[in-house]
């Protein structure tokens, strides 16, 4: 009997340990409930490029308008989808590449999506000494000896392979007047003005071609006359092999690389440039200096067909490939993921995003909101959203959204 | 009393070990053995090998700094030295991505310190370089060897060195002939822990060197992260399992070297 008696010290230890467990369990149980109740909140994953327009502007507006609070996570669209596959739940998923949703989240996590905005690729910089003046042959600036260029890694961030597509499109635009496949688009792009085309074509060949500027400066170059891949090869093969092209993750932020001086130019979205205070190559009207025929921001039929003339294939060392996808416009898409407790709040979030109020905030952040959102798998789209969408145009290549 | 406490504490140990062990077991058994073997051709083995070599270099550099540090700080305990000593743990508490940013804004050639280095070292570059990886890993992992070697030197060895000095052996000889041999076990522990910590660093390396130029190698953590985002969970889990298996081997070695005092640093 004596052995069974516990001393006061023993009892104190037991009490302290048990109390510690109870406090810990209680805290774990109650703390999440202390936040906004499920009935008045919606959790949103959105592409990092939307952080400014959604996080700083649209989300507060939505909360004030509806009383529904928003918990936001901003990161690379691909990494967000991988998180979902690994068990993390978001009510609403917003991607910077519409194709991410069908390829990574359908059919296990959702059956539909709405495409609501496009974006444009841009040549950005932070250090004024790298300024590209209006009307300049921008491809010379970003391939000058000693200059470093940064882009996202294709496998992690859509803007990576979109940068590759944009660079390849530039090659077609500046060398393809007589091309049987896409020459008609080149002529349309230059308004059938051959001399305007020739200005760019001559600059292209005298920069990249035999005995051109680059070759004379012993910095790559020496490409064939009218080699449409000269710019791609210079940036993604030659400069990459020299460490002067930097491929990096979106989480890092290309603007951070520009600020640290790690890169002189970044190939990224125009909205990123505007929202992060970066300078970008402009035209005489103050718009994007990269032609709509190469910046992947136009959804007209002829533009979309021209975009398809290139593919997303990137360098192999390091591997920067996501597969051989045809070029396509940059399309932002949103969906509600399965398992969302308060679907009405989530639907409401998307409705606000794709209609007038959300589109206003997106336009203010230099996105290109679609006049009417496109619906994918329309039979599955909730009735509360169906009035705000139209089917995806038939000329749009499936690779733009599947 | 002692036996009763054993009974009381035992369940807590079980719960804690389960808490630590379950995720490890889950990761190791997430894929079939066949899948694990097929993943060895993904490039993870080369990445682990490269990572281990770099981490070993970093750990040895950390020890190189740890020994003089231990010598000085065992003798100097004034306020200034104690303040300086408190800096050692700071890198441990700084979020990994912040460390990456700190390294960039310090050592990039366009930054003041980096610019100064560039004036001395021609063609100096930082981001995506092996130097960037080594400096960043040294920043996050050196505290472990500094503390292990420092504590061992101060608590266990300094007194013998002082005795040797009183016997007429000069300071230099007593340090190298008495102290260093006695520090061997601590040095090995310090190398292993700094090595292990260097291997686990990811966030900072993602910022300073997503790949390492000119061979474009990725350290293991970055490789697995890329695999997770690019190819999904199964291959990333397989590569993680392979990395964990090697990690367990390291900890087993640590246990063997440490003997019954392996957990006391």
């Amino acid at each position: 009997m004596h052995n069974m008696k516990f001393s006061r010290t023993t009892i104190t230890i037991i009490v302290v340990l048990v109390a510690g467990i109870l406090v810990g369990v209680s805290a774990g149980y109650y703390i999440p409930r202390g936040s906004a109740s499920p009935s008045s909140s919606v959790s949103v994953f959105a592409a990092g490029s939307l952080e400014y327009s959604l996080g700083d502007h649209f989300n507060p507006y939505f909360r004030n308008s509806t009383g529904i609070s928003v918990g936001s996570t901003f990161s690379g669209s691909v990494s967000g989808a991988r998180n979902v596959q690994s068990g993390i739940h978001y009510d609403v998923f917003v991607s910077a590449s519409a194709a991410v949703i069908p390829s990574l989240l359908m059919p296990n996590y959702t059956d539909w999506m709405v495409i609501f905005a496009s974006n444009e690729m841009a040549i950005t910089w932070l250090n004024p000494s790298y300024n590209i003046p209006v009307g300049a042959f921008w491809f010379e600036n970003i391939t000058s000896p000693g200059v470093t260029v940064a882009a996202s890694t294709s496998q992690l961030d859509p803007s990576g392979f979109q940068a590759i597509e944009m660079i390849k499109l530039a090659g077609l635009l500046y060398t393809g007047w007589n091309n049987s496949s896409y020459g008609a688009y080149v002529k349309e792009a230059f308004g059938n003005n051959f001399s305007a085309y020739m200005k760019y074509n001559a600059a292209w060949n005298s920069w990249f071609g035999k005995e051109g500027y680059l070759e004379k400066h012993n910095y790559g170059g020496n490409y064939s006359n009218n080699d449409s891949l000269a710019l791609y090869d210079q940036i993604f093969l030659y400069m990459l092999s020299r460490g002067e092209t930097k491929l990096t993750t979106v989480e890092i932020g290309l603007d951070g690389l520009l600020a640290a001086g790690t890169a002189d130019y970044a190939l990224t979205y125009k909205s990123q440039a505007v929202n992060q205070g970066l300078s970008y190559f402009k035209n005489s009207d103050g718009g994007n200096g990269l032609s709509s025929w190469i910046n992947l921001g136009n959804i007209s039929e002829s533009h979309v067909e021209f975009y398809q003339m290139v593919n997303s294939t990137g360098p192999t060392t390091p591997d920067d490939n996501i597969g051989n996808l045809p070029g396509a416009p940059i399309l932002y898409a949103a969906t509600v993921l399965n398992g969302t407790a308060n679907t009405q709040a989530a639907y409401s979030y998307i409705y606000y995003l794709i209609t007038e109020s959300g589109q206003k905030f997106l336009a203010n952040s230099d996105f290109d909101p679609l006049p009417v959102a496109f619906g994918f798998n329309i039979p599955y789209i909730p009735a509360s959203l169906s009035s705000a969408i139209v089917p995806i145009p038939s000329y749009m290549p499936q690779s733009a959204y599947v | 009393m002692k036996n009763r406490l054993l009974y009381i504490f035992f369940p807590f140990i079980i719960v804690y070990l389960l808490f630590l062990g379950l995720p490890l077991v889950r990761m190791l058994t997430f894929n079939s053995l066949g899948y694990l073997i097929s993943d060895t051709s993904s490039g993870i083995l080369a990445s682990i090998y490269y990572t281990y070599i770099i981490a070993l270099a970093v750990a040895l550099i950390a020890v190189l700094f740890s020994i003089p540090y231990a010598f000085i700080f065992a003798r100097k305990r004034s306020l200034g030295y104690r303040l300086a000593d408190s800096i050692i743990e700071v890198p441990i508490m700084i979020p990994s991505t912040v460390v990456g940013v700190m390294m960039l804004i310090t050592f990039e050639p366009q930054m003041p310190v980096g610019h100064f280095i560039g004036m001395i070292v021609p063609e100096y570059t930082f981001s995506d370089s092996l130097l960037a990886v080594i400096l960043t890993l040294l920043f996050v992992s050196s505290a472990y060897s500094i503390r292990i070697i420092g504590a061992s030197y101060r608590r266990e060895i300094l007194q013998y060195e002082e005795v040797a000095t009183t016997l007429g052996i000069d300071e230099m000889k007593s340090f190298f002939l008495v102290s260093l041999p006695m520090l061997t076990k601590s040095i090995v522990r310090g190398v292993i822990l700094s090595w292990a910590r260097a291997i686990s660093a990811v966030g900072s390396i993602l910022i300073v060197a997503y790949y390492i130029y000119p061979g474009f190698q990725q350290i293991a953590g970055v490789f697995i992260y890329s695999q997770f985002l690019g190819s999904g969970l199964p291959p990333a889990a397989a590569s993680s399992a392979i990395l964990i298996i090697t990690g367990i081997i390291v900890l087993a070695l640590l246990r063997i070297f440490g003997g019954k005092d392996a957990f006391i640093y």
Side-chain angles (χ1 to χ4, degrees):
Chain A
M1 268 316 272
H2 176 74
N3 286 340
M4 294 301 290
K5 282 185 180 173
F6 290 93
S7 69
R8 184 175 293 176
T9 312
T10 308
I11 290 169
T12 306
I13 291 170
I14 292 172
V15 168
V16 168
L17 290 176
V18 171
I21 290 174
L22 290 176
V23 168
V25 170
S26 305
Y29 184 77
Y30 282 107
I31 284 174
R33 300 235 172 156
S35 61
S37 70
S39 63
S40 62
S41 67
V42 61
S43 62
V44 176
F45 173 89
S49 50
L50 290 164
E51 183 161 7
Y52 176 80
S53 57
L54 296 195
D56 293 359
H57 297 281
F58 174 73
N59 289 349
Y61 169 82
F62 177 73
R63 187 184 60 236
N64 292 338
S65 302
T66 63
I68 300 169
S69 59
V70 181
S72 307
T73 302
F74 295 100
S75 186
S77 303
V78 177
S79 64
R82 294 298 184 196
N83 288 342
V84 172
Q85 290 177 334
S86 303
I88 295 175
H89 175 77
Y90 309 104
D91 297 338
V92 174
F93 189 94
V94 187
S95 172
S97 169
V100 165
I101 294 176
S103 61
L104 298 180
L105 299 179
M106 291 183 187
N108 291 339
Y109 305 97
T110 186
D111 297 307
W112 59 272
M113 66 175 174
V114 290
I115 298 166
F116 62 93
S118 63
N119 205 341
E120 300 170 22
M121 293 303 297
I123 309 290
T124 69
W125 64 88
L126 200 55
N127 186 334
S129 63
Y130 294 103
N131 176 59
I132 305 178
V134 171
F137 299 117
W138 57 270
F139 47 81
E140 296 177 352
N141 299 70
I142 64 173
T143 54
S144 288
V147 158
T148 49
V149 176
S152 290
T153 308
S154 295
Q155 292 172 336
L156 311 185
D157 178 17
S159 77
F161 64 81
Q162 286 156 348
I164 289 172
E165 292 172 358
M166 181 271 283
I167 290 293
K168 288 180 178 175
L169 283 169
L172 302 193
L173 186 66
Y174 300 141
T175 66
W177 185 272
N178 292 318
N179 187 279
S180 56
S181 302
Y182 50 82
Y185 301 113
V186 175
K187 291 182 176 79
E188 187 181 342
F190 283 98
N192 275 316
N193 185 341
F194 183 69
S195 60
Y197 162 80
M198 277 309 293
K199 267 179 30 187
Y200 282 90
N201 182 259
W204 181 277
N205 286 323
S206 65
W207 186 262
F208 295 113
K210 307 281 184 198
E211 298 181 8
Y213 180 91
L214 292 179
E215 189 189 4
K216 283 178 185 165
H217 286 77
N218 199 23
Y219 191 69
N222 195 26
Y223 300 98
S224 304
N225 205 38
N226 286 328
D227 181 352
S228 67
L229 282 173
L231 177 59
Y232 169 81
D233 287 348
Q234 186 71 17
I235 292 179
F236 286 99
L237 298 181
Y238 182 78
M239 289 169 63
L240 185 64
S241 72
R242 294 169 56 96
E244 279 148 352
T245 295
K246 311 273 184 186
L247 300 180
T248 187
T249 59
V250 70
E251 281 79 5
I252 297 164
L254 291 168
D255 59 317
L257 295 188
L258 294 176
T262 304
D264 304 322
Y265 295 105
L267 311 179
T268 186
Y269 300 133
K270 187 181 74 168
S271 64
Q272 289 286 84
V274 172
N275 298 331
Q276 294 175 338
L278 308 177
S279 302
Y280 67 98
F281 176 49
K282 292 181 177 173
N283 60 25
S284 54
D285 300 329
N288 193 347
L290 291 182
S291 161
S292 64
W293 293 86
I294 62 177
N295 69 27
L296 300 174
N298 193 300
I299 60 165
S300 75
E301 186 168 1
S302 55
H303 279 77
V304 170
E305 286 170 356
F306 184 64
Y307 295 161
Q308 291 177 71
M309 297 295 156
V310 298
N311 59 45
S312 62
T313 302
T316 51
T317 308
D319 187 8
D320 194 35
N321 285 283
I322 55 150
N324 186 18
L325 300 176
I330 302 163
L331 297 175
Y332 283 68
T335 188
V336 173
L337 298 179
N338 299 338
T340 296
N342 187 353
T343 51
Q344 289 312 314
Y347 296 156
S348 179
Y349 183 87
I350 291 184
Y351 185 83
Y352 270 72
L353 180 63
I354 67 174
T355 54
E356 196 175 337
S357 53
Q359 303 283 305
K360 185 185 71 183
F361 286 110
L362 290 169
N364 287 344
S365 296
D366 264 35
F367 285 88
D368 302 318
L370 304 188
V372 185
F374 300 149
F376 177 77
N377 276 359
I378 285 181
Y380 294 99
I381 292 180
S384 57
L385 298 176
S386 57
S387 64
I389 58 163
V390 294
I392 299 173
S394 56
Y395 63 79
M396 191 74 72
Q398 282 211 335
S399 58
Y401 56 88
V402 175
Chain B
M1 178 63 194
K2 197 179 264 182
N3 287 341
R4 275 197 222 114
L5 270 182
L6 269 179
Y7 284 120
I8 293 164
F9 286 156
F10 202 71
F12 286 87
I13 297 301
I14 294 292
V15 169
Y16 181 67
L17 288 179
L18 276 175
F19 167 68
L20 289 188
L22 279 177
L24 289 174
V25 172
R26 177 79 178 127
M27 184 59 91
L28 292 173
T29 59
F30 186 82
N31 293 299
S32 67
L33 184 61
Y35 191 90
L36 218 67
I37 292 168
S38 70
D39 184 66
T40 55
S41 60
S42 67
I44 181 64
L45 288 181
S47 178
I48 289 176
Y49 173 75
Y50 195 68
T51 306
Y52 280 13
I53 296 292
I54 292 176
L56 183 61
V58 168
L60 292 174
I61 294 169
V63 165
L64 204 65
F65 284 106
S66 300
I67 293 170
Y69 190 93
F71 183 87
I72 290 172
F73 280 78
R75 289 168 168 78
K76 307 285 186 182
R77 300 304 297 165
S78 64
L79 181 63
Y81 280 96
R82 290 209 304 274
L83 281 174
D85 191 41
S86 65
I87 293 175
I88 296 299
E89 274 92 8
V90 172
I92 296 174
M93 55 152 278
I94 299 177
S96 194
T97 45
V98 177
V99 171
V101 173
M102 289 166 68
M103 291 289 122
L104 271 191
I105 62 175
T106 305
F107 293 110
E108 268 298 306
Q110 308 217 3
M111 298 295 144
V113 174
H115 184 70
F116 177 72
I117 297 172
M119 289 164 59
I120 301 166
V121 183
E123 298 188 17
Y124 165 74
T125 61
F126 184 72
S127 64
D128 295 339
S129 69
L130 184 60
L131 175 70
V133 175
I134 288 175
L135 290 184
T136 305
L137 294 181
L138 187 65
F139 189 85
V140 298
S141 70
S142 55
Y144 295 88
S145 26
I146 294 251
R147 279 295 174 250
I148 288 169
I149 294 169
S152 173
Y153 181 73
R154 193 161 55 239
R155 287 182 200 153
E156 301 160 16
I157 294 162
L158 186 59
Q159 53 187 320
Y160 293 103
E161 195 178 307
E162 284 168 354
V163 169
T165 312
T166 58
L167 292 175
I169 302 171
D170 72 42
E171 193 178 66
M172 189 76 84
K173 271 187 182 167
S174 68
F175 182 77
F176 284 103
L177 297 180
V178 177
S179 302
L180 269 189
M182 290 179 76
L183 268 176
T184 304
K185 190 184 276 187
S186 301
I187 289 172
V188 171
R189 282 186 199 159
V191 166
I192 291 176
L193 264 194
S194 285
W195 183 74
R197 175 64 189 95
I199 288 163
S200 70
V202 176
S204 53
I205 301 300
L206 269 173
I207 289 183
V208 300
Y210 179 64
Y211 49 70
I212 302 167
Y213 178 80
F216 299 108
Q217 298 94 342
Q218 288 180 311
I219 70 157
V222 174
F223 181 92
I224 292 168
Y225 177 70
S226 305
Q227 229 179 357
F228 171 67
L229 295 180
S231 309
L233 186 58
S239 296
S240 304
I242 294 168
L243 185 65
I244 287 170
I245 289 167
T246 59
I248 288 171
I249 293 169
V250 172
L251 290 179
L253 287 174
L254 177 66
R255 193 79 173 88
I256 292 165
F257 276 116
K260 64 185 172 62
D261 296 330
F263 296 132
I264 302 168
Y265 299 113

